[in-house]
Amino acid sequence: MKETSATGFFRMVVNPNLRLQDPFKKKLLCSDCEIKFSKNETYFANNIFYPHVDKKLTKIKPDQKIKKFIVSVNWRMLSNSFQEEKIPLWGKSIIKDCLEDLRQYLNNEKKDCHYENHIFFLGPVEGASTGVIMPKGFNQYLLRAIDSTVVFRKPRFLKPSILLQYTKFPFFILVTLIKPKKNKKWVNTLVSDGGISLEKQRIKDRDFGSFLLERAKLSMSHLDDMSQKQNNVIIKSLLKNSTKVLTSRSYEAFLADEALEKQQIVQRNGKS
């Protein structure tokens, strides 16, 4: 992912003034598990991530290595949230059961886990439905940002409780459904024995759509906290590597945001 950026560095949205060679890593695994998981990560990068970024991926065949990768990522993210007590009290026992089930699957103590795992592939968004206000930098969020959180909603009148692990990398979203364990509004995103066709992927869940827009708005708002010094560092780096910038995925996201903003202006002017 770092190779596809304009500057070759990471910046975390929660602390944009800190430039990193690699994202922070919190140790959750033993050395044997790190080696085991890293093999799945390499496999995913070579067979899924890079082909998708290069627009050469159209279908995913049934593959346990891909499922193991998704589960390993979301198990780590969910474990971290659980340890840091970011889980609501009513959901702790549910999350604990989920973590144990995923752990057993990753350790090959069972053939499959009891929770659905979904992958949704992302690309540039240059238009939106009439009336939908897109947050500034939406494509930067979709195609460049790394984000993760536990999504939860307490049960309330006519609406059941929701618990899921959401992890977003550049160009794709990974979701483990915890409660409910299934969602028919996610179309052709389930990692299963049937494979996945990227062209047929749809998310018809309006609640998730609203969450994604709000999450992008929240994440990109942190960039307003970047100091002038760090802004100058970025500008200097971009000018130094202008050829790399113009061929980077960061620039592709920038152009997509420019097109999206123009479309939004046209829509607003058409209403006035």
Side-chain angles (χ1 to χ4, degrees):
M1 285 178 279
K2 185 170 62 176
E3 288 80 5
T4 64
S5 74
T7 63
F9 290 92
F10 287 105
R11 287 181 187 269
M12 308 298 283
V13 293
V14 294
N15 187 5
N17 290 311
L18 183 61
R19 191 170 73 163
L20 304 168
Q21 286 282 359
D22 292 291
F24 289 119
K25 292 182 178 179
K26 183 174 181 179
K27 189 168 180 62
L28 294 169
L29 306 169
C30 64
S31 57
D32 289 341
C33 289
E34 286 282 5
I35 293 172
K36 181 168 62 177
F37 286 6
S38 67
K39 290 180 180 178
N40 291 331
E41 290 166 4
T42 301
Y43 181 85
F44 184 88
N46 293 333
N47 292 278
I48 303 297
F49 177 73
Y50 289 117
H52 174 55
V53 171
D54 293 336
K55 300 179 175 63
K56 296 178 181 179
L57 187 69
T58 58
K59 187 175 181 179
I60 298 177
K61 297 179 181 179
D63 195 329
Q64 281 295 316
K65 289 183 180 178
I66 296 172
K67 187 170 185 176
K68 290 276 188 181
F69 167 75
I70 296 173
V71 173
S72 70
V73 169
N74 279 347
W75 177 82
R76 279 176 281 184
M77 297 300 182
L78 196 58
S79 295
N80 184 62
S81 295
F82 190 82
Q83 291 178 12
E84 295 184 357
E85 298 186 349
K86 294 179 179 179
I87 308 297
L89 185 62
W90 61 269
K92 282 191 173 182
S93 62
I94 301 172
I95 297 293
K96 189 174 182 180
D97 290 342
C98 176
L99 285 171
E100 178 58 20
D101 183 78
L102 300 184
R103 184 197 67 77
Q104 290 178 9
Y105 170 68
L106 292 172
N107 282 336
N108 298 315
E109 297 173 21
K110 56 170 61 180
K111 291 185 179 180
D112 203 353
C113 55
H114 293 147
Y115 300 85
E116 285 190 352
N117 294 278
H118 295 255
I119 181 169
F120 186 75
F121 290 88
L122 304 168
V125 175
E126 297 183 355
S129 301
T130 303
V132 178
I133 300 175
M134 306 299 287
K136 183 179 179 181
F138 187 61
N139 283 288
Q140 291 292 329
Y141 176 74
L142 293 184
L143 306 181
R144 305 311 311 157
I146 299 173
D147 190 17
S148 177
T149 189
V150 179
V151 181
F152 53 85
R153 182 181 71 195
K154 289 182 67 174
R156 59 179 186 266
F157 182 66
L158 296 180
K159 289 193 175 184
S161 59
I162 290 177
L163 271 173
L164 62 86
Q165 172 60 43
Y166 164 87
T167 305
K168 197 207 72 63
F169 290 107
F171 289 95
F172 60 95
I173 292 170
L174 307 178
V175 166
T176 297
L177 298 180
I178 303 170
K179 187 176 183 181
K181 294 181 180 180
K182 299 180 184 295
N183 191 336
K184 293 181 179 180
K185 294 179 180 179
W186 287 61
V187 181
N188 214 54
T189 59
L190 177 64
V191 181
S192 64
D193 296 336
I196 293 175
S197 173
L198 273 65
E199 293 180 356
K200 297 179 180 178
Q201 286 201 316
R202 300 286 185 276
I203 297 181
K204 300 178 181 179
D205 187 341
R206 290 187 177 183
D207 287 340
F208 185 82
S210 297
F211 159 79
L212 188 62
L213 292 175
E214 285 300 317
R215 194 70 188 176
K217 183 179 179 180
L218 174 65
S219 297
M220 300 311 294
S221 68
H222 287 287
L223 296 180
D224 295 334
D225 300 329
M226 185 179 292
S227 67
Q228 186 59 50
K229 178 181 177 180
Q230 289 303 314
N231 269 308
N232 292 338
V233 169
I234 292 175
I235 293 171
K236 184 177 179 180
S237 179
L238 294 176
L239 292 174
K240 185 179 178 181
N241 302 286
S242 57
T243 302
K244 180 181 179 181
V245 170
L246 295 176
T247 58
S248 69
R249 299 302 176 185
S250 298
Y251 188 63
E252 179 183 2
F254 169 78
L255 292 178
D257 276 328
E258 289 278 290
L260 182 58
E261 187 173 349
K262 289 179 181 178
Q263 189 253 8
Q264 295 266 284
I265 291 173
V266 169
Q267 279 191 358
R268 289 196 296 270
N269 290 340
K271 281 189 171 183
S272 59

mmCIF file of all heavy atoms in Angstrom, residues 88 90 150-156 158-164 179-180 205 207:
data_model
loop_
_atom_site.group_PDB
_atom_site.id
_atom_site.type_symbol
_atom_site.label_atom_id
_atom_site.label_comp_id
_atom_site.label_asym_id
_atom_site.label_seq_id
_atom_site.Cartn_x
_atom_site.Cartn_y
_atom_site.Cartn_z
ATOM 1 N N PRO A 88 -19.308 -2.016 24.048
ATOM 2 C CA PRO A 88 -20.381 -1.696 24.997
ATOM 3 C C PRO A 88 -20.648 -2.876 25.921
ATOM 4 O O PRO A 88 -20.464 -4.043 25.528
ATOM 5 C CB PRO A 88 -21.585 -1.423 24.082
ATOM 6 C CG PRO A 88 -21.280 -2.146 22.809
ATOM 7 C CD PRO A 88 -19.794 -2.054 22.651
ATOM 8 N N TRP A 90 -23.300 -4.352 26.977
ATOM 9 C CA TRP A 90 -24.278 -5.341 26.531
ATOM 10 C C TRP A 90 -23.718 -6.276 25.454
ATOM 11 O O TRP A 90 -24.269 -7.362 25.211
ATOM 12 C CB TRP A 90 -25.536 -4.661 25.998
ATOM 13 C CG TRP A 90 -25.317 -3.768 24.810
ATOM 14 C CD1 TRP A 90 -25.051 -2.430 24.823
ATOM 15 C CD2 TRP A 90 -25.344 -4.153 23.433
ATOM 16 N NE1 TRP A 90 -24.911 -1.943 23.554
ATOM 17 C CE2 TRP A 90 -25.082 -2.977 22.675
ATOM 18 C CE3 TRP A 90 -25.559 -5.349 22.750
ATOM 19 C CZ2 TRP A 90 -25.026 -2.982 21.280
ATOM 20 C CZ3 TRP A 90 -25.507 -5.360 21.367
ATOM 21 C CH2 TRP A 90 -25.241 -4.187 20.647
ATOM 22 N N VAL A 150 -15.326 -1.165 15.818
ATOM 23 C CA VAL A 150 -16.452 -2.056 16.072
ATOM 24 C C VAL A 150 -17.717 -1.228 15.899
ATOM 25 O O VAL A 150 -17.873 -0.177 16.525
ATOM 26 C CB VAL A 150 -16.407 -2.645 17.497
ATOM 27 C CG1 VAL A 150 -17.607 -3.561 17.730
ATOM 28 C CG2 VAL A 150 -15.115 -3.413 17.710
ATOM 29 N N VAL A 151 -18.601 -1.654 15.024
ATOM 30 C CA VAL A 151 -19.867 -0.951 14.787
ATOM 31 C C VAL A 151 -20.937 -1.618 15.644
ATOM 32 O O VAL A 151 -21.114 -2.830 15.579
ATOM 33 C CB VAL A 151 -20.272 -1.024 13.302
ATOM 34 C CG1 VAL A 151 -21.581 -0.263 13.065
ATOM 35 C CG2 VAL A 151 -19.159 -0.471 12.418
ATOM 36 N N PHE A 152 -21.621 -0.819 16.465
ATOM 37 C CA PHE A 152 -22.648 -1.414 17.326
ATOM 38 C C PHE A 152 -23.844 -0.476 17.463
ATOM 39 O O PHE A 152 -23.724 0.736 17.376
ATOM 40 C CB PHE A 152 -22.093 -1.760 18.706
ATOM 41 C CG PHE A 152 -21.399 -0.634 19.411
ATOM 42 C CD1 PHE A 152 -22.112 0.292 20.168
ATOM 43 C CD2 PHE A 152 -20.017 -0.488 19.327
ATOM 44 C CE1 PHE A 152 -21.471 1.332 20.825
ATOM 45 C CE2 PHE A 152 -19.368 0.548 19.984
ATOM 46 C CZ PHE A 152 -20.103 1.455 20.740
ATOM 47 N N ARG A 153 -25.011 -1.088 17.654
ATOM 48 C CA ARG A 153 -26.247 -0.356 17.905
ATOM 49 C C ARG A 153 -27.083 -1.148 18.896
ATOM 50 O O ARG A 153 -27.356 -2.330 18.678
ATOM 51 C CB ARG A 153 -27.035 -0.159 16.608
ATOM 52 C CG ARG A 153 -28.321 0.661 16.802
ATOM 53 C CD ARG A 153 -29.090 0.805 15.499
ATOM 54 N NE ARG A 153 -29.693 -0.457 15.087
ATOM 55 C CZ ARG A 153 -30.176 -0.681 13.861
ATOM 56 N NH1 ARG A 153 -30.077 0.257 12.940
ATOM 57 N NH2 ARG A 153 -30.725 -1.841 13.553
ATOM 58 N N LYS A 154 -27.454 -0.509 19.961
ATOM 59 C CA LYS A 154 -28.286 -1.175 20.968
ATOM 60 C C LYS A 154 -29.661 -1.479 20.378
ATOM 61 O O LYS A 154 -30.153 -0.736 19.531
ATOM 62 C CB LYS A 154 -28.447 -0.285 22.205
ATOM 63 C CG LYS A 154 -27.191 -0.137 23.047
ATOM 64 C CD LYS A 154 -27.453 0.714 24.274
ATOM 65 C CE LYS A 154 -28.388 0.024 25.241
ATOM 66 N NZ LYS A 154 -28.552 0.774 26.506
ATOM 67 N N PRO A 155 -30.266 -2.559 20.824
ATOM 68 C CA PRO A 155 -31.621 -2.862 20.336
ATOM 69 C C PRO A 155 -32.594 -1.765 20.772
ATOM 70 O O PRO A 155 -32.538 -1.283 21.898
ATOM 71 C CB PRO A 155 -31.948 -4.204 21.001
ATOM 72 C CG PRO A 155 -31.057 -4.270 22.193
ATOM 73 C CD PRO A 155 -29.801 -3.549 21.807
ATOM 74 N N ARG A 156 -33.437 -1.358 19.836
ATOM 75 C CA ARG A 156 -34.460 -0.365 20.162
ATOM 76 C C ARG A 156 -35.713 -0.665 19.359
ATOM 77 O O ARG A 156 -35.720 -1.574 18.536
ATOM 78 C CB ARG A 156 -33.958 1.062 19.919
ATOM 79 C CG ARG A 156 -33.515 1.385 18.512
ATOM 80 C CD ARG A 156 -33.074 2.835 18.435
ATOM 81 N NE ARG A 156 -32.763 3.271 17.101
ATOM 82 C CZ ARG A 156 -31.553 3.260 16.580
ATOM 83 N NH1 ARG A 156 -30.533 2.818 17.305
ATOM 84 N NH2 ARG A 156 -31.338 3.688 15.352
ATOM 85 N N LEU A 158 -38.409 -1.693 17.156
ATOM 86 C CA LEU A 158 -38.473 -2.166 15.781
ATOM 87 C C LEU A 158 -37.110 -2.325 15.104
ATOM 88 O O LEU A 158 -37.026 -2.672 13.922
ATOM 89 C CB LEU A 158 -39.349 -1.239 14.913
ATOM 90 C CG LEU A 158 -40.836 -1.169 15.296
ATOM 91 C CD1 LEU A 158 -41.564 -0.227 14.343
ATOM 92 C CD2 LEU A 158 -41.478 -2.551 15.263
ATOM 93 N N LYS A 159 -36.017 -2.070 15.822
ATOM 94 C CA LYS A 159 -34.689 -2.230 15.247
ATOM 95 C C LYS A 159 -33.833 -3.113 16.154
ATOM 96 O O LYS A 159 -33.632 -2.779 17.321
ATOM 97 C CB LYS A 159 -34.001 -0.878 15.029
ATOM 98 C CG LYS A 159 -34.618 -0.067 13.892
ATOM 99 C CD LYS A 159 -33.735 1.094 13.502
ATOM 100 C CE LYS A 159 -34.295 1.815 12.279
ATOM 101 N NZ LYS A 159 -33.395 2.903 11.827
ATOM 102 N N PRO A 160 -33.311 -4.240 15.615
ATOM 103 C CA PRO A 160 -32.516 -5.150 16.441
ATOM 104 C C PRO A 160 -31.117 -4.598 16.688
ATOM 105 O O PRO A 160 -30.687 -3.622 16.061
ATOM 106 C CB PRO A 160 -32.448 -6.417 15.569
ATOM 107 C CG PRO A 160 -32.525 -5.886 14.164
ATOM 108 C CD PRO A 160 -33.457 -4.706 14.235
ATOM 109 N N SER A 161 -30.425 -5.222 17.610
ATOM 110 C CA SER A 161 -29.051 -4.808 17.895
ATOM 111 C C SER A 161 -28.143 -5.173 16.719
ATOM 112 O O SER A 161 -28.422 -6.102 15.959
ATOM 113 C CB SER A 161 -28.548 -5.495 19.172
ATOM 114 O OG SER A 161 -28.590 -6.900 19.033
ATOM 115 N N ILE A 162 -27.075 -4.419 16.569
ATOM 116 C CA ILE A 162 -26.100 -4.668 15.512
ATOM 117 C C ILE A 162 -24.705 -4.687 16.122
ATOM 118 O O ILE A 162 -24.348 -3.818 16.919
ATOM 119 C CB ILE A 162 -26.159 -3.586 14.417
ATOM 120 C CG1 ILE A 162 -27.454 -3.708 13.602
ATOM 121 C CG2 ILE A 162 -24.959 -3.681 13.476
ATOM 122 C CD1 ILE A 162 -27.619 -2.621 12.553
ATOM 123 N N LEU A 163 -23.918 -5.691 15.747
ATOM 124 C CA LEU A 163 -22.511 -5.768 16.121
ATOM 125 C C LEU A 163 -21.738 -6.304 14.924
ATOM 126 O O LEU A 163 -22.078 -7.360 14.382
ATOM 127 C CB LEU A 163 -22.302 -6.709 17.315
ATOM 128 C CG LEU A 163 -22.397 -6.124 18.722
ATOM 129 C CD1 LEU A 163 -22.322 -7.235 19.763
ATOM 130 C CD2 LEU A 163 -21.297 -5.105 18.975
ATOM 131 N N LEU A 164 -20.732 -5.564 14.492
ATOM 132 C CA LEU A 164 -19.874 -6.062 13.425
ATOM 133 C C LEU A 164 -18.499 -5.423 13.527
ATOM 134 O O LEU A 164 -18.350 -4.334 14.082
ATOM 135 C CB LEU A 164 -20.494 -5.809 12.038
ATOM 136 C CG LEU A 164 -20.756 -4.368 11.580
ATOM 137 C CD1 LEU A 164 -19.523 -3.742 10.918
ATOM 138 C CD2 LEU A 164 -21.916 -4.332 10.597
ATOM 139 N N LYS A 179 -23.532 -9.818 15.053
ATOM 140 C CA LYS A 179 -24.966 -9.903 15.350
ATOM 141 C C LYS A 179 -25.703 -8.835 14.543
ATOM 142 O O LYS A 179 -25.406 -7.643 14.698
ATOM 143 C CB LYS A 179 -25.221 -9.707 16.847
ATOM 144 C CG LYS A 179 -26.672 -9.957 17.235
ATOM 145 C CD LYS A 179 -26.888 -9.846 18.730
ATOM 146 C CE LYS A 179 -28.344 -10.170 19.055
ATOM 147 N NZ LYS A 179 -28.634 -10.058 20.491
ATOM 148 N N PRO A 180 -26.619 -9.247 13.691
ATOM 149 C CA PRO A 180 -26.927 -10.636 13.314
ATOM 150 C C PRO A 180 -25.767 -11.261 12.547
ATOM 151 O O PRO A 180 -24.889 -10.547 12.044
ATOM 152 C CB PRO A 180 -28.169 -10.497 12.440
ATOM 153 C CG PRO A 180 -28.043 -9.121 11.850
ATOM 154 C CD PRO A 180 -27.413 -8.281 12.921
ATOM 155 N N ASP A 205 -27.664 -2.032 2.118
ATOM 156 C CA ASP A 205 -27.929 -1.689 3.509
ATOM 157 C C ASP A 205 -27.755 -0.182 3.709
ATOM 158 O O ASP A 205 -26.631 0.325 3.725
ATOM 159 C CB ASP A 205 -26.958 -2.473 4.411
ATOM 160 C CG ASP A 205 -27.254 -2.321 5.886
ATOM 161 O OD1 ASP A 205 -27.958 -1.358 6.251
ATOM 162 O OD2 ASP A 205 -26.796 -3.157 6.674
ATOM 163 N N ASP A 207 -28.272 1.654 6.316
ATOM 164 C CA ASP A 207 -27.608 1.987 7.574
ATOM 165 C C ASP A 207 -26.092 1.949 7.408
ATOM 166 O O ASP A 207 -25.375 2.812 7.922
ATOM 167 C CB ASP A 207 -28.033 1.011 8.684
ATOM 168 C CG ASP A 207 -29.459 1.254 9.148
ATOM 169 O OD1 ASP A 207 -29.972 2.372 8.917
ATOM 170 O OD2 ASP A 207 -30.060 0.347 9.740
#
